[in-house]
Amino acid sequence: MSRGGKPFDVIIIGGGPAGLNAGRLLADGGLEVLLLDEKEEVGKGVLCTGVVGTETFEKFNLPKNLILKEIKSVRLISPFKREILYTYPIPIAYVINRGQFDKFLLEEALLKGVEIRLSRRVVDIEISDKVYVTTLNLKEPSIEYFQANMLVLATGVKVGLLRRTNLVSYPVHFLKSAQKVMHWNDGNYVTILTGSEISKGGFGWIVPENGATARVGLITETNLRRGFENIVKNYFPSEDTKGVRFKPIAQGLVSRTFGDRVLSVGECAGQVKTTTGGGIAYALLCSEIAAEVILKAYKKGNISSDSLSSYERKWKSKLGKEIQVGFFLRKLWRKLDDDTIERLFTIAYSERLPDYIAKKAKFDWHALILLKLLGEKKIWEILGDLIVNHFR
């Protein structure tokens, strides 16, 4: 491989929230940072429900002009159309303009001095005395070479490049997802759809954007297209499925996200909520941890695997349990038939569990409340045998 090109301290591959936020923080810490992305425009064509918890929004001081709608009410619909509607006293999350969100992060990164190269597809990586990256310029086209002391992989659901590094692990489990914007003016609440007709092992959603449209989608382990067609048939009879977009979502805890001169962050590191498939909050949190560890390693003059290993300890101490519990519960959920899910809805309604959840749960942190609910006597009577058999 050619050793040409301007030397950087860090090369980041991926221009989503994880890569952009890591780049901003590293540049702010005094490092020379290059970010590469194969898209021609940051934020263009992103497939994302774009729901961010208010706690995350405030922690990272995100601008209010990104907000399309506040979420205070959630409607849950059972397989047999039982409804549970709960309205929280204050907003629990915001629906954001995801394209503008990414562009905001881009502007912040540029202000801190990150060098951005778009329309660059990475075709080869070599890690030895330095990191050597070969790209194809998709506009020219031409081959370009870059080098740095360190590499951060933030490639989202695309994990192929991880195989070209000394990282030994990446996501191997994936859910299927689909989404389309449709005409919708039925209230200001988020609607969650359950049952095998919609999604086996997952759920569907209707998330209002404004007074006239909503983001409609689902995650599932089985027939994605059939589930989406059933949502349209039941809730959007005047719409069709033209223009629906599909995307896999990484699931499960990744065993190793660091190596000599390299870290992975965001979805390619498995940093995704296994309960909902959301990745924005975890991407921001873990990119912050990654930047902290890298800056500390540079200060010590040691960017070896041993020096970078604290990154994995830190992010897993915050998210490991969330990911593991969510992954277990998803495997449990896919074993439930519609009658069993309906029984759980009946218990939730009669025991006023939505009130309890509203008082105790946080939008981006689910493990503790879910484990608590599994311990409820009536729920254990339904799910206890499945849980015990899972661990035998």
Side-chain angles (χ1 to χ4, degrees), residues 12-81:
I12 299 173
I13 304 176
L20 290 166
N21 196 50
R24 174 184 69 86
L25 294 168
L26 290 171
D28 192 41
L31 299 187
E32 292 285 334
V33 180
L34 170 68
L35 186 145
L36 303 168
D37 195 284
E38 67 178 14
K39 289 184 178 180
E40 64 178 0
E41 181 182 337
V42 167
K44 183 178 180 180
V46 177
L47 182 59
C48 176
T49 308
V51 180
V52 178
T54 52
E55 184 179 346
T56 294
F57 206 89
E58 291 160 6
K59 171 180 170 56
F60 292 98
N61 196 28
L62 301 176
K64 295 289 187 180
N65 61 6
L66 297 174
I67 299 172
L68 297 176
K69 182 172 285 295
E70 294 181 343
I71 295 176
K72 292 178 66 175
S73 299
V74 178
R75 177 177 66 162
L76 306 174
I77 300 184
S78 75
F80 302 137
K81 304 300 186 289

Side-chain angles (χ1 to χ4, degrees), residues 2-16:
S2 169
R3 290 336 195 221
K6 171 187 173 181
F8 290 88
D9 293 315
V10 181
I11 290 176
I12 299 173
I13 304 176

Side-chain angles (χ1 to χ4, degrees), residues 62-303:
L62 301 176
K64 295 289 187 180
N65 61 6
L66 297 174
I67 299 172
L68 297 176
K69 182 172 285 295
E70 294 181 343
I71 295 176
K72 292 178 66 175
S73 299
V74 178
R75 177 177 66 162
L76 306 174
I77 300 184
S78 75
F80 302 137
K81 304 300 186 289
R82 175 191 289 271
E83 294 189 13
I84 298 177
L85 176 65
Y86 189 82
T87 299
Y88 298 79
I90 59 174
I92 58 169
Y94 301 120
V95 182
I96 65 169
N97 184 321
R98 176 54 200 277
Q100 290 302 316
F101 170 68
D102 285 14
K103 289 176 180 177
F104 161 74
L105 293 178
L106 171 65
E107 292 171 1
E108 292 290 300
L110 288 170
L111 283 172
K112 296 300 182 181
V114 178
E115 188 169 327
I116 309 286
R117 302 285 183 91
L118 302 178
S119 299
R120 264 60 170 198
R121 177 175 296 157
V122 176
V123 296
D124 196 17
I125 297 170
E126 179 185 321
I127 299 177
S128 53
D129 60 319
K130 288 186 181 293
V131 174
Y132 301 97
V133 176
T134 304
T135 69
L136 172 64
N137 185 328
L138 300 176
K139 285 188 174 180
E140 304 237 333
S142 62
I143 297 295
E144 296 175 335
Y145 303 96
F146 304 95
Q147 62 174 290
N149 292 320
M150 255 207 74
L151 177 68
V152 174
L153 289 158
T155 55
V157 76
K158 297 179 180 179
V159 299
L161 289 176
L162 277 73
R163 301 186 181 98
R164 296 178 178 270
T165 72
N166 51 35
L167 296 172
V168 295
S169 187
Y170 39 82
V172 294
H173 301 286
F174 296 87
L175 286 170
K176 307 169 187 175
S177 73
Q179 185 168 277
K180 179 184 176 182
V181 175
M182 296 188 179
H183 297 292
W184 179 257
N185 55 11
D186 186 13
N188 292 318
Y189 41 77
V190 169
T191 299
I192 303 297
L193 311 168
T194 65
S196 58
E197 183 184 50
I198 302 297
S199 169
K200 187 67 176 175
F203 60 93
W205 61 80
I206 303 170
V207 176
E209 289 185 322
N210 49 46
T213 60
R215 297 166 187 172
V216 182
L218 76 154
I219 54 175
T220 185
E221 295 186 350
T222 53
N223 193 322
L224 183 64
R225 189 172 293 277
R226 181 183 65 83
F228 196 85
E229 288 172 348
N230 285 333
I231 292 178
V232 173
K233 179 180 69 176
N234 291 331
Y235 297 94
F236 301 88
S238 62
E239 297 269 6
D240 58 42
T241 59
K242 293 179 181 178
V244 63
R245 299 175 60 204
F246 303 95
K247 176 184 178 293
I249 297 176
Q251 292 279 284
L253 199 64
V254 172
S255 61
R256 185 179 171 93
T257 57
F258 68 96
D260 287 329
R261 299 180 181 273
V262 60
L263 296 179
S264 60
V265 64
E267 190 167 5
C268 68
Q271 294 159 353
V272 177
K273 284 190 282 186
T274 37
T275 47
T276 67
I280 293 175
Y282 287 7
L284 294 176
L285 175 62
C286 292
S287 58
E288 190 175 73
I289 296 170
E292 174 192 324
V293 169
I294 291 170
L295 289 170
K296 188 175 181 179
Y298 259 91
K299 188 174 181 179
K300 291 182 176 180
N302 181 2
I303 52 176

